[in-house]
């Protein structure tokens, strides 16, 4: 039998041999060999390796192509197969008689690009351990851009796939790039190890000046980044000793990437939605670790361990740019505000203009600018002067310095659609995981015993553990560990509690030993609170975060007040300016502003009502002060024209301030204000807050549209709803919470893409537990995690459905969730698509199915459940008589798992819908599921798309359908069927969907 005939006859066996492991490596190696022999041309290779196409589909296309090319190609294909497959793996099929390499190919005149193809298998082997060095060689010789590098580095690629991707890009670049790679490999072989980047030189022009400047810039950046600068650098800790990674995720519109993102992915190609844009946005809540993340990126760049494709990195703080009153050019922005070249300024700036792909700008705290983002004032000339905000906006949108990569941080509330259309991608920083909290606390305390006590205390204080998801709150809790360990039952529960704890901590540690304690500590330091509170209050209103000596004098701030530690000296931009100050953190400034509103007798009576009314935020009077001239002045007419955009930037700070006001006026803290202002004034302020919260909630409920005919009433949360919930939680008054939801009459509450983390889950549970009727709670595409799941447990009795798709939940979170949910009679549906679940979670679902004969729906798609997990679920299904919907799409249960489920479901009288899409199910699984179709009296839909079922397996389904007229559809799209087989089977059974 010829090799061509064998390719047809042994098609299924070959597919299994190349694809059954789930890895594409064997297929890729076969393609390498065929490319090197000239049996495949690059166009054939590209037609097979289409991004997003499944491994089985690619292999089928290769088999079709090899067969079409004839006997000689089939012989060489078998030779490649024999060379690639491990010994014994090809035992299931016959190899034709072949020589060692098939027919010898005629040598052609060699070029570098042809050599890349002819030596492809060996080049892949040489490059896969040193892709980074090869990329660096291509970048500094001008052949690769950072976009090319990012495309090669995609985390979905294995090292060998990255090497192949690099070779594909190089071949497209032409002879010059191919010579660079071949020369690199030759030198690597000669040295016996990866080449140091110092052996390669950047473009010749301005070389010496640029290299000298790069060394000075990296030294400056390293010096600014080596110690933790967040929280005013009060910890005096090396960044290496304290840095703890937060959760990084792509924004929902940037695609679906499995697995966590790393620091390298912030600027990398993964998640890119607009390749023409240069700006990456890192968004996250205040105190979420954005500034520390940028600081880490800066330090790793300066050391040469990350972002190696960028020769120069320029870091900027938007907070400090706020204070710049002069018009600037790009050159002045770079050199005056980052690092001044010792000589040849013009030549270095020209190098920057000529090589934008080697340059990275970072802008920290876009939300702290006085002016909201606008793209109305265009600026294209890098030497033209303009107000700093216009310069910044044109850099972000790409009108200036096109090709230079920019990374910008901001809170999500401050980012509108005008800015988003100029983004390359958006990365979300979601705070600490439970392991991150433990890691941070242990790093913060040099004494392991103290760290263990703090962690043990946190584990017994569920609400406080949820708050520690936020890095700034975790820092405060760690900093105040003595107060935490001594608080007993009165442990902090709210964000306000935590900030009051650090307020008391600072006062008591900076006061004389004879100072009093207890509630009188605030009375003792009331003057300081009022002075700093007024400073913070006025600054929030004018978006001012850096204060001059004149600003401090206007608010009565004394040297004693400064010594308390809440203000720290700002890293000023110019040595000619006087010493300036800023609060430890923006959240601390908001907290002091709230303290001023609550404790001052001079605060305007309308401030509270205006603070909670978004449409009145411009009327709060916060920005009406005549002080802070440096902060609030506009830079010329263009600056004044942008002033109206500032509202969006002010709102997040005002919302944080309002949240603190709610907490400070809670019943548990009202005794603090007895000596500050009359009780009647405090009670009036409390009533104002309660009235505003109730009014805000009811306004949301009134906006709920009537239900569509045949559907139940649902509410999709509008912006501000979660904020109101958090304010209600801060008040810690069950009467307020009960009143807030008294008029909520919906069957479904939708809070998708609402930036819900553990802190928000705590507040939601506190309020929703007072609902009169259970609801379906939809929290898809948030950052709930295991900690958030635990925070939701108090409201489980009021949830008939819980949707937690794409929330980074693990088996441990499910264990706790189901341990409570199993006792909640209303709870009957759960959806957990795209989390981090494994077989370990299925024992808990099995127990749920055995215990609850009224549970209706379980959807566990796109997790990591194998045949063992399917067998566990089957044990529960055997005794369950209520489940209607079971979704296991995108797992790995295989034939054995499908057979186990089918055996358990054969006598089911309740199951209506079953999805096993993309699970590696073959003919054995299809045959077992055919028996379910044949015997079930309830099943209506079966989804078997994207599996590896052949005609014999589908024939079993056809025969079963003949015996079941109630079945509506069986989906078998993209299985192992030819076009002719599909057409024939479609004609025979119309309920099969191909």
């Amino acid at each position: 039998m010829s090799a061509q005939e064998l390719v047809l006859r042994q098609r299924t066996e070959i597919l299994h041999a190349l694809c059954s492991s789930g890895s594409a490596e064997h297929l890729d190696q076969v393609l390498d060999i065929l490319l090197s022999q000239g049996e495949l041309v690059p166009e054939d290779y590209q037609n097979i390796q289409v991004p997003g196409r499944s491994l089985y589909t690619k292999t089928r296309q290769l088999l079709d192509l090899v067969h079409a090319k004839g006997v000689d190609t089939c012989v060489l294909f078998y030779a490649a197969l024999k060379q690639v497959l491990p010994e014994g793996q090809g035992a299931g099929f016959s190899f034709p008689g072949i020589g060692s390499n098939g027919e010898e190919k005629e040598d052609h005149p060699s070029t570098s690009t042809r050599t890349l193809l002819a030596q492809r298998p060996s080049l892949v082997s040489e490059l896969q351990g040193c892709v980074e060095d090869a990329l660096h060689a291509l970048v500094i010789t001008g052949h690769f851009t950072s976009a090319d590098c990012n495309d090669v580095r995609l985390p979905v690629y294995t090292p060998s796939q990255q090497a192949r991707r690099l070779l594909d890009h190089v071949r497209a670049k032409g002879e010059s790039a191919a010579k660079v790679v071949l020369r690199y490999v030759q030198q690597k072989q000669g040295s016996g190890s990866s080449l140091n980047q110092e052996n390669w030189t950047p473009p010749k022009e301005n070389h010496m000046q640029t290299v000298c400047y790069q060394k000075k810039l990296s030294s400056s950046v390293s010096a600014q980044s080596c110690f933790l600068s967040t929280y005013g650098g009060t910890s005096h800790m090396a960044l290496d000793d304290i840095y703890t990674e937060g959760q990084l995720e792509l924004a929902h519109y940037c695609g679906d990437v499995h697995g966590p993102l790393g620091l390298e992915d912030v600027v990398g190609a993964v998640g890119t939605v607009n390749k023409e844009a240069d700006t990456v946005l890192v968004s996250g809540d205040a105190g979420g670790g954005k500034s520390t993340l940028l600081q880490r990126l800066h330090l790793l760049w300066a050391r040469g361990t990350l972002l190696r494709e960028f020769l120069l990195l320029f870091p900027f703080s938007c907070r400090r740019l706020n204070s710049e009153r002069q018009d600037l050019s790009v050159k002045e922005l770079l050199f005056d505000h980052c690092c001044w070249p010792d000589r040849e300024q013009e030549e270095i700036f020209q190098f920057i203009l000529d090589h934008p792909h080697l340059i990275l700008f970072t802008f920290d705290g876009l939300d702290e600018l006085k002016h909201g983002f606008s793209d109305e004032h265009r600026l294209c000339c890098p030497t033209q002067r303009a107000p700093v905000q216009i310069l910044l906006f044109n850099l972000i949108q790409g009108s200036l310095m096109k090709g230079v990569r920019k990374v910008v941080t901001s809170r999500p509330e401050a980012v509108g659609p005008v800015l988003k259309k100029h983004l390359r991608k958006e990365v979300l920083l979601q705070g600490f995981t439970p392991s991150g909290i433990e890691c941070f606390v242990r790093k913060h305390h040099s004494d392991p015993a103290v760290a263990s006590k703090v962690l043990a205390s946190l584990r017994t204080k569920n609400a406080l553990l949820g708050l520690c998801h936020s890095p700034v709150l975790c820092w405060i809790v760690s900093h105040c560990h003595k107060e935490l360990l001594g608080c007993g039952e009165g442990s902090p529960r709210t964000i306000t509690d935590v900030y009051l704890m650090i307020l008391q901590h600072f006062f008591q540690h900076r006061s004389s030993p004879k100072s009093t304690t207890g509630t009188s500590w605030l009375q003792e330091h009331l003057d300081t609170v009022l002075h700093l509170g007024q400073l913070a209050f006025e600054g929030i209103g004018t978006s001012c975060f850096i204060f001059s000596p004149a600003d401090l004098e206007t608010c009565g701030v004394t040297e004693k007040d400064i010594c308390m530690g809440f203000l720290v000296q700002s890293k000023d931009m110019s040595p000619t300016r006087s010493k300036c100050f800023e609060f430890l953190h923006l959240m601390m400034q908001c907290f002091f502003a709230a303290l001023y509103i609550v404790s001052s007798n001079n605060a305007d009576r309308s401030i509270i009502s205006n603070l909670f009314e978004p449409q009145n935020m411009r009327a709060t009077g916060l920005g009406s002060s005549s002080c802070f001239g440096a902060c609030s002045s506009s830079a010329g007419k263009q600056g004044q024209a942008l002033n109206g955009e500032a509202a969006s930037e002010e709102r997040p700070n005002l919302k944080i301030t309002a949240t603190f006001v709610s907490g400070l006026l809670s019943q548990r803290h009202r005794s603090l204000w007895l000596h500050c202002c009359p009780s009647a004034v405090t009670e009036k302020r409390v009533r104002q807050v309660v009235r505003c919260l109730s009014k805000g909630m009811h306004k949301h409920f009134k906006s709920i549209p009537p239900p569509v005919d045949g559907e139940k009433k649902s509410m999709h949360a509008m912006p501000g709803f979660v904020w109101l919930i958090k304010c209600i939680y801060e008040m810690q008054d069950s009467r307020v919470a009960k009143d807030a939801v008294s008029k909520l009459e919906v069957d479904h509450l939708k809070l998708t893409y609402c930036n819900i983390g553990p802190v928000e889950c705590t507040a939601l549970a506190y309020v929703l537990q007072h609902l009169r009727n259970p609801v379906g709670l939809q929290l898809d595409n948030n950052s709930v995690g295991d900690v958030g799941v635990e925070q939701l447990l108090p409201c489980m009795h009021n949830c008939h459905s819980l949707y937690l798709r794409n929330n980074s939940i693990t088996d441990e979170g499910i264990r706790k969730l189901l341990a409570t949910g199993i006792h909640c009679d209303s709870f009957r549906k759960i959806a957990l698509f795209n989390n981090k679940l494994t077989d370990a979670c299925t024992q808990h679902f099995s127990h749920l199915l055995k215990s609850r004969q009224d549970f209706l729906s379980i959807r566990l798609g796109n997790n990591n459940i194998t045949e063992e997990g399917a067998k566990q679920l089957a044990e529960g299904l055997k005794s369950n008589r209520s489940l209607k919907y079971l979704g296991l799409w995108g797992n790995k249960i295989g034939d054995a798992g499908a057979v186990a489920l089918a055996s358990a479901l054969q006598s089911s009288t309740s199951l209506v819908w079953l999805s096993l899409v993309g699970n590696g199910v073959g003919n054995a699984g299809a045959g077992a599921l055919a028996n379910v179709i044949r015997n079930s009296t309830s099943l209506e839909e079966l989804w078997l798309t994207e599996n590896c079922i052949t005609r014999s397996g589908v024939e079993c389904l056809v025969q079963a359908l003949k015996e079941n007229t109630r079945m509506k559809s069986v989906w078998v799209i993209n299985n192992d069927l030819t076009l002719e087989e599909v057409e024939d089977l479609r004609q025979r059974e119309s309920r099969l969907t191909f």
Side-chain angles (χ1 to χ4, degrees):
M1 185 178 294
S2 71
Q4 191 175 24
E5 292 172 316
L6 278 174
V7 167
L8 277 182
R9 175 165 292 193
Q10 298 180 344
R11 183 182 178 93
T12 300
E13 291 83 353
I14 295 171
L15 277 170
H16 180 78
L18 289 175
C19 304
S20 61
S21 68
S23 168
E25 185 61 24
H26 289 156
L27 174 64
D28 289 341
Q29 289 179 7
V30 169
L31 291 171
D32 290 342
I33 294 170
L34 295 178
L35 273 172
S36 70
Q37 294 172 339
E39 291 303 317
L40 295 184
V41 297
E43 289 74 18
D44 295 331
Y45 178 80
Q46 291 168 2
N47 289 335
I48 292 171
Q49 295 282 44
V50 176
R53 184 173 287 172
S54 72
L55 177 58
Y56 277 94
T57 303
K58 291 178 182 178
T59 308
R60 290 184 193 112
Q61 186 164 351
L62 173 62
L63 292 176
D64 293 341
L65 184 61
V66 166
H67 182 267
K69 284 181 178 283
V71 174
D72 291 343
T73 301
C74 291
V75 169
L76 289 169
F77 168 74
Y78 269 106
L81 201 62
K82 191 171 185 179
Q83 182 179 338
V84 163
L85 292 178
E87 190 173 345
Q89 190 167 332
F93 55 92
S94 305
F95 288 102
I98 52 178
S100 60
N101 290 309
E103 185 179 332
E104 292 294 327
K105 293 288 173 181
E106 180 183 350
D107 288 332
H108 294 282
S110 180
T111 64
S112 294
T113 50
R114 286 179 178 173
T115 302
L116 288 185
L117 284 179
Q119 298 182 8
R120 185 178 177 93
S122 60
L123 285 172
V124 168
S125 177
E126 289 284 348
L127 288 169
Q128 61 181 317
C130 53
V131 168
E132 281 299 323
D133 289 332
L135 287 173
H136 184 71
L138 289 160
V139 167
I140 63 178
T141 52
H143 292 97
F144 265 34
T145 66
S146 58
D148 295 325
C149 294
N150 292 337
D151 195 38
V152 171
R153 291 192 188 101
L154 283 175
V156 295
Y157 296 140
T158 63
S160 60
Q161 288 173 327
Q162 288 181 340
R164 293 183 181 97
R165 192 77 173 164
L166 183 146
L167 292 173
D168 295 340
H169 275 273
V170 168
R171 183 183 170 279
K173 299 283 184 181
E175 276 293 295
S176 180
K179 288 179 180 177
V180 169
V181 169
L182 291 174
R183 185 169 69 250
Y184 169 81
V185 171
Q186 289 169 359
Q187 293 184 28
K188 174 180 176 293
Q189 290 171 337
S191 66
S193 61
S194 297
L195 295 176
N196 190 295
Q197 56 177 303
E198 293 176 1
N199 295 100
W200 293 87
T201 55
K204 292 180 181 179
E205 61 269 23
N206 309 322
H207 168 48
M208 291 307 298
Q209 299 93 329
T210 305
V211 168
C212 291
Y213 180 66
Q214 192 270 347
K215 289 181 179 178
K216 181 179 180 181
L217 178 62
S218 62
S219 177
S220 172
V221 171
S222 178
Q224 295 173 31
S225 308
C226 60
F227 288 97
L228 181 68
S229 61
T230 323
Y231 325 127
T234 53
S235 298
H236 302 292
M237 282 188 167
L239 188 64
D240 288 333
D241 294 337
I242 192 64
Y243 181 75
T244 305
E245 289 190 359
Q247 300 175 87
L248 283 172
E249 300 174 4
L250 289 173
H252 66 90
Y253 61 87
C254 293
D256 183 20
V257 175
H258 303 302
L261 298 182
L263 281 176
E264 68 279 2
D265 299 314
V266 173
V267 185
V270 60
T272 298
V273 292
N274 182 0
K275 292 185 177 180
E276 299 302 313
D278 302 319
T279 299
V280 174
L281 173 67
V282 177
S283 64
D285 289 336
K290 301 182 295 296
S291 298
T292 307
L293 179 142
L294 268 194
Q295 189 182 348
R296 185 64 174 170
L297 285 176
H298 296 162
L299 183 61
L300 295 178
W301 171 81
R303 290 175 175 170
T305 56
L306 198 67
L307 306 176
R308 294 173 60 188
E309 65 270 32
F310 298 108
L311 194 65
L312 303 175
L313 183 151
F314 294 93
F316 300 97
S317 163
C318 293
R319 175 179 294 191
R320 294 183 179 92
L321 291 178
N322 254 345
S323 301
E324 180 55 65
R325 285 171 283 175
Q326 303 291 327
D327 287 2
L328 298 174
S329 66
V330 173
K331 179 182 172 184
E332 290 166 334
L333 179 71
L334 299 182
F335 294 164
D336 290 356
H337 290 272
C338 280
C339 181
W340 180 261
D342 294 327
R343 56 184 179 176
E344 310 291 353
Q345 291 88 6
E346 293 297 332
E347 288 78 1
I348 292 172
F349 187 60
Q350 189 60 50
F351 177 88
I352 292 170
L353 296 178
D354 293 342
H355 301 88
H357 62 283
L358 298 179
I359 315 299
L360 175 65
F361 296 166
T362 66
F363 297 96
D364 187 27
L366 184 68
D367 51 295
E368 296 183 17
L369 281 179
K370 295 189 296 290
H371 308 281
F373 180 83
S374 169
D375 58 2
E376 295 178 2
H377 304 273
R378 292 299 175 98
L379 188 67
C380 301
C381 178
T383 58
Q384 181 180 344
R385 286 190 171 99
V388 69
Q389 72 274 6
I390 291 179
L391 205 63
L392 175 53
F393 297 159
N394 279 274
L395 286 170
I396 290 173
Q397 67 192 6
S399 300
L400 272 175
M401 305 298 287
K402 181 68 178 173
V404 171
R405 191 62 53 85
K406 300 101 181 176
V407 177
V408 178
T409 69
S410 175
R411 281 173 288 172
E413 305 97 315
V415 180
V418 178
L419 171 58
K420 286 197 174 184
K421 70 181 182 182
H422 297 293
L423 294 181
R424 186 176 182 86
K425 65 178 177 182
E426 181 179 359
V427 176
L428 308 178
L429 183 57
Q430 305 284 20
F432 289 151
T433 61
S435 60
I437 294 172
E438 179 171 354
C439 179
F440 182 88
V441 171
R442 292 197 181 281
K443 285 184 174 184
H444 193 273
H445 295 283
S446 56
D447 185 345
V450 173
S452 296
K453 288 180 181 178
V454 171
L455 290 168
S457 178
L458 284 177
R459 293 186 187 108
T460 64
K461 299 173 174 65
N462 195 34
L464 185 58
L465 182 63
L467 292 177
C468 287
H469 166 80
S470 168
V472 68
L473 298 179
C474 196
W475 172 78
I476 292 174
V477 168
S478 295
H479 204 70
C480 303
H481 65 276
K482 291 182 180 178
E483 289 84 350
L484 173 68
L485 296 175
C487 64
E489 293 299 316
S491 66
R493 297 183 57 83
T494 68
I495 296 175
T496 307
D497 294 346
V498 173
Y499 273 82
L500 280 170
M501 183 170 68
I502 198 169
L503 184 73
Q504 187 172 3
H505 171 89
F506 271 57
F507 281 148
Q508 291 182 350
H509 283 73
R510 286 167 173 78
S511 301
S512 60
K514 61 181 180 180
S515 296
T516 56
T517 57
T519 57
S520 62
W521 63 267
L522 184 63
Q523 182 185 5
E524 180 184 349
H525 299 286
L526 183 59
D527 287 344
T528 296
V529 168
L530 291 174
H531 297 159
L532 295 179
Q534 184 181 353
L535 185 74
F537 175 78
E538 300 283 2
I540 291 294
T542 55
S543 293
C544 181
F545 310 104
I546 296 179
F547 307 99
S548 69
D551 300 331
L552 271 62
E553 185 179 353
T554 300
C555 295
V557 177
T558 66
E559 190 66 32
K560 177 186 174 183
D561 299 333
I562 295 173
C563 289
M564 287 296 168
F566 299 107
L567 286 178
V568 293
Q569 188 172 341
S570 173
K571 296 176 182 177
D572 205 16
M573 296 175 295
S574 169
T576 61
R577 293 184 184 166
S578 57
K579 187 164 62 173
C580 294
F581 293 87
E582 58 188 322
F583 281 89
L584 278 176
H585 193 274
L586 179 59
M587 289 276 283
M588 188 67 75
Q589 183 171 344
C590 293
F591 178 62
F592 268 95
L595 282 170
Y596 180 76
I597 293 170
V598 171
S599 62
S600 173
N601 286 316
N602 300 324
D604 191 293
R605 67 180 62 183
S606 65
I607 285 178
I608 288 180
S609 58
N610 288 334
L611 195 63
F612 285 89
E613 291 287 341
Q615 66 270 27
N616 294 334
M617 283 189 176
R618 297 291 294 175
T620 57
L622 297 180
S624 61
S625 172
S626 59
C627 71
F628 308 154
C631 291
S632 58
S633 63
S634 297
K637 292 182 179 179
Q638 286 180 308
Q640 293 172 7
L642 286 171
N643 241 358
E645 299 282 339
S648 63
E649 272 57 53
E650 292 174 2
R651 284 186 59 178
N653 297 332
L654 294 177
K655 284 186 173 181
I656 294 172
T657 304
T659 305
F660 280 130
V661 168
S662 302
L664 290 171
L665 289 173
S666 66
Q667 182 65 51
R668 60 198 300 190
H669 297 315
R670 269 174 231 171
S671 60
L672 289 172
W673 320 121
L674 292 175
H675 304 287
C676 304
C677 52
S679 298
V681 173
T682 300
E683 291 299 326
K684 183 177 181 181
R685 288 170 179 167
V686 171
R687 289 194 297 271
Q688 279 184 292
V689 171
V690 171
R691 187 163 55 248
C692 289
L693 293 176
S694 179
K695 181 180 177 182
M697 291 291 285
H698 293 163
K699 184 177 180 181
H700 278 281
F701 302 155
K702 288 180 182 178
S703 68
I704 302 173
V708 178
D709 289 343
E711 294 186 6
K712 295 179 179 179
K713 193 174 183 180
S714 64
M715 171 188 168
H716 195 306
M718 301 298 289
F721 177 78
V722 177
W723 165 62
L724 289 170
I725 292 284
K726 289 170 74 174
C727 289
I728 293 169
Y729 176 72
E730 289 294 314
M731 292 208 78
Q732 289 289 292
D733 189 330
S734 59
R735 293 172 301 176
V736 175
K738 193 175 296 185
D739 175 69
V741 295
S742 61
K743 296 183 180 179
L744 178 60
E745 297 178 356
V746 295
D747 185 71
H748 197 81
L749 182 57
K750 192 173 183 181
L751 292 160
T752 58
Y753 299 113
C754 283
N755 202 29
I756 303 289
V759 175
E760 290 73 23
C761 288
T762 305
L764 274 171
Y766 181 79
V767 175
L768 296 184
Q769 65 181 323
H770 297 291
L771 286 170
R772 291 188 293 181
N773 299 305
V775 298
L777 181 58
Q778 188 166 352
L779 296 172
D780 297 337
N781 300 292
N782 285 294
S783 303
V784 173
D786 290 350
V787 177
V789 165
E790 197 167 356
Q791 307 305 312
L792 289 172
L793 298 183
C795 72
M796 282 292 294
H797 66 283
N798 261 340
C799 296
H800 58 65
S801 311
L802 193 55
Y803 304 89
L804 291 165
R805 301 176 180 94
N806 196 25
N807 269 288
S808 300
I809 298 167
T810 72
D811 301 325
E812 178 61 16
I814 295 307
R815 181 187 69 79
K816 294 178 180 178
L817 177 67
L818 296 185
T820 297
I822 202 169
H823 301 296
C824 299
D825 294 339
S826 301
F827 178 53
R828 295 183 180 181
K829 297 180 182 178
I830 190 166
L832 291 159
F833 171 84
N834 198 28
N835 280 285
K836 299 178 179 178
L837 307 183
T838 70
D839 293 335
C841 78
T842 57
Q843 60 181 310
H844 308 300
F845 282 105
S846 181
H847 179 57
L848 175 74
L849 290 168
K850 292 175 183 177
S851 306
R852 291 282 300 274
Q853 294 301 321
D854 57 353
F855 209 83
L856 301 177
S857 176
I858 296 175
R859 299 174 191 255
L860 304 174
N862 210 31
N863 283 285
N864 195 29
I865 297 170
T866 70
E867 63 181 77
E868 294 304 318
K871 290 174 182 177
Q872 282 276 5
L873 284 173
E875 290 301 312
L877 289 168
K878 287 177 183 177
S879 57
N880 184 272
R881 297 292 177 266
S882 63
L883 196 71
K884 289 187 175 183
Y885 304 94
L886 178 60
L888 291 169
W889 181 91
N891 283 286
K892 302 172 184 177
I893 69 167
D895 272 337
V899 169
L901 291 172
S903 175
L905 292 169
Q906 278 197 37
S907 58
S908 173
T909 57
S910 62
L911 195 71
V912 174
W913 180 90
L914 174 63
S915 174
L916 299 178
V917 172
N919 265 283
V921 177
N923 292 339
L929 291 164
N931 288 329
V932 178
I933 295 174
R934 189 175 288 111
N935 299 321
S936 175
T937 59
S938 58
L939 190 64
E940 296 179 358
E941 285 190 65
L942 175 61
W943 287 71
L944 294 171
T945 298
E946 284 284 349
N947 282 293
C948 46
I949 305 169
T950 66
R951 176 161 191 152
S952 62
V954 179
E955 288 283 3
C956 295
L957 299 173
V958 171
Q959 294 302 318
L961 284 168
K962 289 179 180 179
E963 302 178 34
N964 188 335
T965 57
R966 297 173 303 279
M967 193 80 179
K968 292 181 179 179
S969 60
V970 178
W971 296 70
V972 286
I973 299 170
N974 203 10
N975 277 275
D976 194 13
L977 301 166
T978 66
L979 292 176
E980 293 79 9
E981 288 172 335
V982 167
E983 190 57 35
D984 177 50
L985 291 165
R986 181 185 285 121
Q987 295 294 329
R988 290 172 54 194
E989 178 52 73
S990 61
R991 288 174 290 174
L992 288 175
T993 302
F994 293 96

